[in-house]
Amino acid sequence: MVQYHDVPSAEGSGPVDEAAGSALRVCVVLFRWSGTELETATGESGHIPWDRPHPEEPLGATAERIIRRWAGIDAEYVEQLYTFSRSGGGQREIVISYLGLFAPDTFDEGQRQSLTWTPAAATQAVDDVERMVLEYALVRLQAKLGYTNIAFHLVPSTFTLSELQHVYESILGQPMDKRNFRRRMIASGILTKTDQTRRDGSHRPAMLYRFSEQDDHTSYLTPPWQSEP
Amino acid sequence: MVQYHDVPSAEGSGPVDEAAGSALRVCVVLFRWSGTELETATGESGHIPWDRPHPEEPLGATAERIIRRWAGIDAEYVEQLYTFSRSGGGQREIVISYLGLFAPDTFDEGQRQSLTWTPAAATQAVDDVERMVLEYALVRLQAKLGYTNIAFHLVPSTFTLSELQHVYESILGQPMDKRNFRRRMIASGILTKTDQTRRDGSHRPAMLYRFSEQDDHTSYLTPPWQSEP
DNA sequence: TCAAAAGTGTTCCTTCTACACCCATGT
DNA sequence: ACATGGGTGTAGAAGGAACACTTTTGA
């Protein structure tokens, strides 16, 4: 039962036209898989990458632009999360948060990013709203692992099943059974086995898989309409 | 794979401080169960109930205020959905959509509502954004039926299992097996059987149940923080 | 006595879970 | 030869889906 506290009820009816509008902030929680752990990005002075939308620019386009500016490349996956508001001193700011995922091999070109990547669990937020945004982004990412293919956006274009399993384990914070994990993934039909292997150390090489793009069901529970009209 | 179309990338860096802020609209898609079908509410001239937040008012409080003003009472359940933006003619409006659910017996007092209730499937939207808001609200409601107890917020405080089943069937648009439905509901442990029955026609009376409040898991995937700071 | 909704169990099948050993390689 | 992670199968439990008849009431 969601409980909302009482708030003095409005006296007038009909839209109250506030004198001035509110400042908008679109911010994007970026995640990548370092190969070992999940990382989030912070920009200058520890803030989550953000900007204000340009006039006429849809919010989703703002999120993409922010990602491009700070990371130098497009994210694999972008999704709107939640909208917060902060107010104080007569000023209001609306904070529209987005989630962005990167595959690690998209960074190989050595772009000059203005980002600092830190372990997702240890990321320090600069204020309460950013803390909530970060927390919620992680919660949503965890929840979506359960019923979507979202983890594939965090993995290079070819990958081993152990790599994929490590991504799941690390995000969910719990170990998984290797045989059950592999069976489930293969049964889901979204994997294509390549004929390549990867030697990784003094042990048997691993088969490389590819994500077979069709029937990606990462995006339900999000409006199917990409950009606002 | 969510594809975002290209948008001219930003030239400058650092926050662009737009001259004027944007207009904010909080709108609430209200659902109730008429006893036969799912209905949504529209206010004056066919619009979804809406208002602009007061200065310093958190968005969730605005949603509650809108509900109270238009429906005369508080909703059983309120949840933020998605934030859209509409722009044109140099003006931007940010539309933050909420979902609100009513139990039918909360209306019994004959409040003067300024709402028109129409079948959810047949509701006509006044513009593209409202159409998206309505569609998305229904999609989310349907999705949440699968993994939460959200349907209990649409049902009177005591109800029969057949009633509850009709709610599910009507929202999901498909019939369910009576025995499996009842077994699942009872096994979930969220039902308490009252010692009352209801005679409803020329047939056997039905047992009345109550929703046992504890362990309501309707609200995950939504930030646990009720109001913005 | 009939119509109409309430209520009730079992079987089958699919899916999840737990669990242990051999394989290919580098050193 | 040994250390290291890659790769595989099976049995039991739990959960979901399909399915039909008896009960209680009002007319």
Side-chain angles (χ1 to χ4, degrees), chain A residues 131-206:
Chain A
R131 184 183 46 72
M132 289 191 288
V133 167
L134 284 167
E135 267 181 40
Y136 186 49
L138 187 55
V139 166
R140 276 281 279 270
L141 181 59
Q142 288 171 335
K144 287 219 155 189
L145 275 193
Y147 54 90
T148 69
N149 302 332
I150 200 172
F152 288 91
H153 299 294
L154 286 167
V155 126
S157 53
T158 66
F159 51 89
T160 70
L161 288 183
S162 293
E163 274 183 299
L164 187 60
Q165 185 177 345
H166 289 142
V167 172
Y168 272 80
E169 288 178 335
S170 156
I171 297 176
L172 294 176
Q174 58 183 350
M176 297 186 163
D177 182 86
K178 183 165 37 160
R179 284 173 286 191
N180 294 338
F181 180 81
R182 296 161 98 90
R183 185 181 14 257
R184 220 168 355 101
M185 285 298 147
I186 289 164
S188 77
I190 52 180
L191 288 181
T192 310
K193 198 183 210 165
T194 68
D195 52 357
Q196 296 168 312
T197 59
R198 182 199 295 161
R199 284 186 309 280
D200 210 27
S202 61
H203 52 80
R204 177 170 174 176

Side-chain angles (χ1 to χ4, degrees), chain A residues 108-122:
Chain A
D108 282 357
E109 309 302 325
Q111 298 92 353
R112 46 197 176 82
Q113 314 170 25
S114 30
L115 292 175
T116 307
W117 292 93
T118 54

Side-chain angles (χ1 to χ4, degrees), chain A residues 1 4-5 14-15 18 22 50 53-54 56-57 64 69 80 83 85 90 92 132 136 143 213 216 221 228-229, chain B residues 1 4-5 14-15 18 22 53-54 56-57 64 69 80 83 85 90 92 132 136 143 213 216 221 228-229:
Chain A
M1 195 86 35
Y4 281 85
H5 297 305
E18 306 296 350
S22 300
W50 71 280
H54 291 167
E56 309 264 330
E57 183 185 45
E64 293 168 58
R69 176 199 298 172
Q80 192 192 105
T83 299
S85 87
R92 175 202 296 282
M132 289 191 288
Y136 186 49
E213 317 260 348
D216 173 13
L221 282 193
E228 302 81 11
Chain B
M1 196 85 35
Y4 280 86
H5 296 305
E18 306 297 349
S22 300
H54 291 166
E56 309 263 330
E57 182 185 46
E64 293 169 59
R69 177 201 297 174
Q80 192 192 104
T83 299
S85 86
R92 176 200 296 282
M132 289 191 290
Y136 186 48
E213 316 258 349
D216 174 12
L221 282 192
E228 302 82 11

Side-chain angles (χ1 to χ4, degrees), chain A residues 1-18 21-24 50-62 64-65 68-69 74 76-92 94 96 98 128-129 131-133 135-136 139-140 143-144 147 153 211 213 216 218-229, chain B residues 1-18 21-24 50-62 64-65 68-69 74 76-92 94 96 98 128-129 131-133 135-136 139-140 143-144 147 153 211 213 216 218-229:
Chain A
M1 195 86 35
V2 173
Q3 298 286 7
Y4 281 85
H5 297 305
D6 271 347
V7 163
S9 102
E11 64 315 327
S13 71
V16 177
D17 230 323
E18 306 296 350
S22 300
L24 297 182
W50 71 280
D51 202 351
R52 306 200 184 283
H54 291 167
E56 309 264 330
E57 183 185 45
L59 297 173
T62 308
E64 293 168 58
R65 180 166 57 77
R68 232 177 286 116
R69 176 199 298 172
D74 288 335
E76 293 295 307
Y77 176 83
V78 179
E79 176 193 336
Q80 192 192 105
L81 292 178
Y82 200 82
T83 299
F84 299 87
S85 87
R86 59 154 64 96
S87 39
Q91 287 297 83
R92 175 202 296 282
I94 295 293
I96 301 147
Y98 280 78
D128 283 351
V129 170
R131 184 183 46 72
M132 289 191 288
V133 167
E135 267 181 40
Y136 186 49
V139 166
R140 276 281 279 270
K144 287 219 155 189
Y147 54 90
H153 299 294
F211 182 24
E213 317 260 348
D216 173 13
T218 45
S219 48
Y220 72 93
L221 282 193
T222 293
W225 331 284
Q226 310 298 36
S227 52
E228 302 81 11
Chain B
M1 196 85 35
V2 173
Q3 298 285 9
Y4 280 86
H5 296 305
D6 272 347
V7 163
S9 103
E11 63 316 326
S13 71
V16 177
D17 230 322
E18 306 297 349
S22 300
L24 297 183
W50 72 280
D51 202 351
R52 307 199 184 282
H54 291 166
E56 309 263 330
E57 182 185 46
L59 297 174
T62 309
E64 293 169 59
R65 182 167 55 78
R68 231 175 287 115
R69 177 201 297 174
D74 286 336
E76 293 295 307
Y77 177 82
V78 179
E79 176 194 336
Q80 192 192 104
L81 291 179
Y82 200 81
T83 299
F84 299 87
S85 86
R86 59 153 64 98
S87 39
Q91 287 298 84
R92 176 200 296 282
I94 295 294
I96 301 147
Y98 280 78
D128 283 350
V129 169
R131 184 182 46 73
M132 289 191 290
V133 167
E135 267 180 40
Y136 186 48
V139 166
R140 277 280 279 267
K144 286 218 155 189
Y147 54 92
H153 300 293
F211 182 25
E213 316 258 349
D216 174 12
T218 46
S219 49
Y220 71 93
L221 282 192
T222 292
W225 330 284
Q226 310 298 35
S227 53
E228 302 82 11

